[in-house]
């Protein structure tokens, strides 16, 4: 695992319940580069690792900025970020990865955010502006108090404030954004991106089901499907020569870790990509949101934290 030690340089209030956290290398060295849409996995206390999208401009090399919503149903990650981290704290994180890459050549880009799902899109807008590309944002939040980055968005919208459409469904007269209508009005070659809660992403996927897959981009923060824990299959590890049985009730990751095999992982929900492992033989039962349906069909990679196996044996490049 390629971890980097960083220091928390600043915490900023962004909206009700949302703070941003700016990390820099302690020696002010450059940090690994990233592209818009990327995320970092932050190692917190108690063995918790959480993925957060980078929201600063992707040309910056001196800092990483993430924004975190204090989730009342938090499994510990957002609560730690909000309650335990202090300016000056040293934190380990992993080099950025990108499962939500921006197509920089699209004729028009439509970005749709739900709540804290705005974070990767902020970095994308900055990049599209720098490239002089055409873009439009639909940003859904409960009300204006909970919408982060409003001043930055006004600035990025520049002379065309009609590029940014806020949708506050819990304000008087508000309603849930009509995603079918947004998609129906999109120019034929537009690329559409959506990041937000699972019900919103499900609606987005339904609304865009008739579009070419390469024009549709989705970023999940949490699992859409339950992990495959039926078990009853065997893992053959090609490099170490080991054979491991995956018992019912366990994931492949559980079985690998129990056997002392070091596998990188973070979210354990099939959304971050940290546990991606090459498949040399066999057919995985894919349950992740990292690979596209086309990539899953190739069956040469699997997220071992959540996926199972359709074949009796999977041969992994481990
Ligand atoms: S650990 Fe995040 S996808 Fe498997």
């Amino acid at each position: 695992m390629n971890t980097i030690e960083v220091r928390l340089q600043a915490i900023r209030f962004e909206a009700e319940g949302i703070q941003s956290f700016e990390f820099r290398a302690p020696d002010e060295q450059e940090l690994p580069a990233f592209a818009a849409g990327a995320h970092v996995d932050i190692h917190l206390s108690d063995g918790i690792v959480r993925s957060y999208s980078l929201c600063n401009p992707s040309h910056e090399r001196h800092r990483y900025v993430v924004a975190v919503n204090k989730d009342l149903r938090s499994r510990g990650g957002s609560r730690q970020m909000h309650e335990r981290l202090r300016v000056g704290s040293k934190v380990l994180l992993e080099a950025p990865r990108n499962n939500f890459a921006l197509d920089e050549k699209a004729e028009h880009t439509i970005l749709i955010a739900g709540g804290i799902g705005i974070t990767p899109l902020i970095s994308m807008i900055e990049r599209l502006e720098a490239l002089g590309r055409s873009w439009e944002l639909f940003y859904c939040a409960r009300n204006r108090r909970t919408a982060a980055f409003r001043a930055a968005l006004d600035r990025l919208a520049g002379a065309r404030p009609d590029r940014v459409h806020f949708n506050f469904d819990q304000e008087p007269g508000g309603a849930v954004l009509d995603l079918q209508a947004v998609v129906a009005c999109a120019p034929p070659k537009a690329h559409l991106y959506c990041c937000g809660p699972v019900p919103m992403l499900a609606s987005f996927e339904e609304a865009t089901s008739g579009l070419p897959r390469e024009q549709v981009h989705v970023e999940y923060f949490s699992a859409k499907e339950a992990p495959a824990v039926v078990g009853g299959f065997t893992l053959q590890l090609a490099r170490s020569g080991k054979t491991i049985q995956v018992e019912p009730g366990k994931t492949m990751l559980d079985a690998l870790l129990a056997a002392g095999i070091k596998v990188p992982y973070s979210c354990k929900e099939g959304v971050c990509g940290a546990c991606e492992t090459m498949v040399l033989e066999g057919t995985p039962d894919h349950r992740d949101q990292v690979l596209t349906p086309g990539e899953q069909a190739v069956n040469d990679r699997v997220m071992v934290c959540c996926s199972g196996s359709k074949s009796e044996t999977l041969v992994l490049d481990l």
Side-chain angles (χ1 to χ4, degrees):
M1 237 177 296
N2 184 15
T3 53
I4 306 160
E5 186 181 67
V6 291
R7 186 182 57 229
L8 181 54
Q9 182 78 15
I11 301 175
R12 296 185 189 87
F13 174 87
E14 300 292 354
E16 201 171 275
I18 299 176
Q19 292 179 341
S20 65
F21 300 81
E22 177 181 330
F23 298 99
R24 297 189 183 201
D27 53 8
E28 298 292 336
Q29 291 280 304
E30 284 195 341
L31 294 163
F34 69 97
H39 68 269
V40 286
D41 292 339
I42 299 181
H43 292 244
L44 299 164
S45 305
D46 310 325
I48 291 175
V49 183
R50 287 290 178 271
S51 300
Y52 295 110
S53 297
L54 293 166
C55 54
N56 54 311
S58 53
H59 63 81
E60 292 185 349
R61 299 292 302 273
H62 67 294
R63 63 177 189 155
Y64 292 145
V65 183
V66 300
V68 180
N69 181 40
K70 189 174 179 187
D71 183 352
L72 299 176
R73 293 160 302 166
S74 167
R75 293 174 297 151
S78 71
R79 189 175 305 136
Q80 273 200 40
M81 292 289 290
H82 277 254
E83 295 178 3
R84 286 207 212 162
L85 288 192
R86 297 283 176 268
V87 170
S89 301
K90 288 194 175 160
V91 175
L92 282 179
L93 49 77
E94 286 165 42
R97 277 200 311 271
N98 199 342
N99 305 324
F100 196 43
L102 179 66
D103 186 323
E104 299 185 341
K105 295 194 168 66
E107 284 178 15
H108 184 65
T109 300
I110 295 176
L111 306 158
I112 301 169
I116 195 64
I118 188 66
T119 50
L121 306 187
I122 285 282
S123 185
M124 288 181 172
I125 291 170
E126 199 282 336
R127 179 69 181 153
L128 292 167
E129 275 292 275
L131 295 170
R133 295 283 174 195
S134 171
W135 61 271
E136 202 173 356
L137 171 72
F138 294 85
Y139 182 8
C140 305
R142 293 196 306 280
N143 53 55
R144 61 199 68 223
R145 296 192 312 281
T146 58
F149 307 118
R150 282 172 54 209
L153 285 169
D154 285 342
R155 179 173 49 75
L156 287 165
R160 284 198 38 210
D162 59 328
R163 286 179 164 184
V164 178
H165 311 276
F166 287 104
N167 191 85
F168 302 121
D169 62 292
Q170 291 184 13
E171 293 200 347
V176 173
L177 179 66
D178 184 347
L179 286 171
Q180 293 279 1
V182 171
V183 173
C185 293
K189 292 195 177 159
H191 279 239
L192 294 96
Y193 298 74
C194 188
C195 185
V198 169
M200 179 188 214
L201 297 175
S203 302
F204 174 77
E205 289 189 324
E206 191 183 328
T208 55
S209 58
L211 296 180
R213 287 294 87 193
E214 61 275 14
Q215 289 175 229
V216 178
H217 312 264
V218 181
E219 172 95 315
Y220 277 84
F221 281 162
S222 54
K224 180 168 75 164
E225 291 187 78
V229 289
V230 177
F233 61 94
T234 303
L235 298 177
Q236 276 181 14
L237 309 189
R239 275 190 267 160
S240 64
K242 291 192 175 171
T243 299
I244 296 168
Q245 189 66 22
V246 182
E247 303 293 347
K250 302 288 182 195
T251 62
M252 282 191 262
L253 180 64
D254 294 332
L256 289 164
L257 294 176
I261 307 296
K262 285 195 169 31
V263 187
Y265 66 91
S266 172
C267 70
K268 289 179 149 181
E269 293 194 64
V271 296
C272 75
C275 67
E276 182 175 308
T277 302
M278 300 307 290
V279 177
L280 304 177
E281 275 180 56
T283 309
D285 177 7
H286 296 284
R287 300 291 175 95
D288 66 280
Q289 272 78 60
V290 176
L291 302 175
T292 64
E295 289 170 335
Q296 289 184 348
V298 177
N299 288 326
D300 63 346
R301 292 176 275 168
V302 66
M303 302 303 145
V304 295
C305 69
C306 61
S307 300
S309 180
K310 292 179 178 167
S311 51
E312 284 179 10
T313 301
L314 274 187
V315 183
L316 300 179
D317 187 24
L318 287 173

